[in-house]
Amino acid sequence: MLNSILATLYERDLRKLIEEVNLFKNEEDLWRIRGSVKNSAGNLVLHISGGLNHFVGATLAQTGYIRDRDREFSGKGVERKDLVAQLEKLIPLINETLNALTQEQMEAEFPIFFDYAGTSTSYVLVRLLAGICSFG
C-alpha cells in the first residue's frame, strides 16, 4: 500500500518540479548561481534525475543506468526541454517500479548501502521523496 502512495506522491512532486522549471522566463537562468545559492536549478534537476535513475531505475528496476554524480553538479547548459524530458521519463519508471514492489520487498533491506546498514527499501523511497519535496 505504501508503495502506491509513494508512486502517487513522486508523480505529484515531479510534475510540480517540471512546472517550476517551465516558470523560468529566461532559460539561461536555470544555470545561474546567485548570492549564497551554490547549485543552479538546472544542476538540482540533473541531481534529482540522476539520483532517482540510480536508486529506483538501476537499483530496483535494473535499468542499467550508470550514474555520473559529478556531472550532475558540473554539467551546464542542458536545454530546458531536455531537463523536462528527463523528469517526464522518471514518472512511468517510478510508477511501474514502485507499484510492482511487494510488501516484503518494501520492508527488505535496500539492495545497496543508503544512509546506514540495514536501511529498508521503504525508508529509501521516503527519503528520496523528501529530497524532491525540499526543492519544490
Side-chain angles (χ1 to χ4, degrees):
M1 182 65 153
L2 176 62
N3 50 338
S4 63
I5 293 168
L6 288 172
T8 299
L9 294 173
Y10 272 100
E11 181 169 354
R12 179 199 68 186
D13 290 349
L14 287 169
R15 292 203 183 284
K16 178 65 176 160
L17 184 55
I18 290 166
E19 182 182 319
E20 294 285 331
V21 168
N22 284 321
L23 286 175
F24 280 82
K25 292 183 187 344
N26 183 350
E27 192 165 326
E28 291 80 32
D29 287 343
L30 282 164
W31 303 100
R32 295 200 199 289
I33 298 172
R34 292 187 178 104
S36 63
V37 175
K38 299 202 182 337
N39 293 305
S40 68
N43 287 115
L44 292 174
V45 169
L46 292 176
H47 182 54
I48 289 169
S49 178
L52 291 174
N53 272 300
H54 174 71
F55 291 112
V56 177
T59 304
L60 296 177
Q62 300 186 349
T63 61
Y65 177 83
I66 298 174
R67 188 175 190 184
D68 184 354
R69 194 171 190 283
D70 289 340
R71 175 134 169 56
E72 294 168 16
F73 294 101
S74 65
K76 304 287 182 219
V78 177
E79 291 186 34
R80 177 197 327 256
K81 67 179 178 63
D82 295 329
L83 292 174
V84 168
Q86 286 181 34
L87 295 171
E88 288 281 359
K89 284 173 62 174
L90 284 167
I91 294 170
L93 169 69
I94 291 171
N95 277 328
E96 291 168 19
T97 303
L98 270 59
N99 284 312
L101 293 173
T102 65
Q103 184 64 33
E104 293 77 26
Q105 289 170 312
M106 290 290 288
E107 293 171 6
E109 184 175 344
F110 194 67
I112 61 174
F113 181 84
F114 190 97
D115 282 352
Y116 56 87
T119 303
S120 70
T121 296
S122 60
Y123 170 88
V124 172
L125 294 171
V126 169
R127 174 80 166 65
L128 291 171
L129 179 63
I132 297 171
C133 294
S134 67
F135 295 117

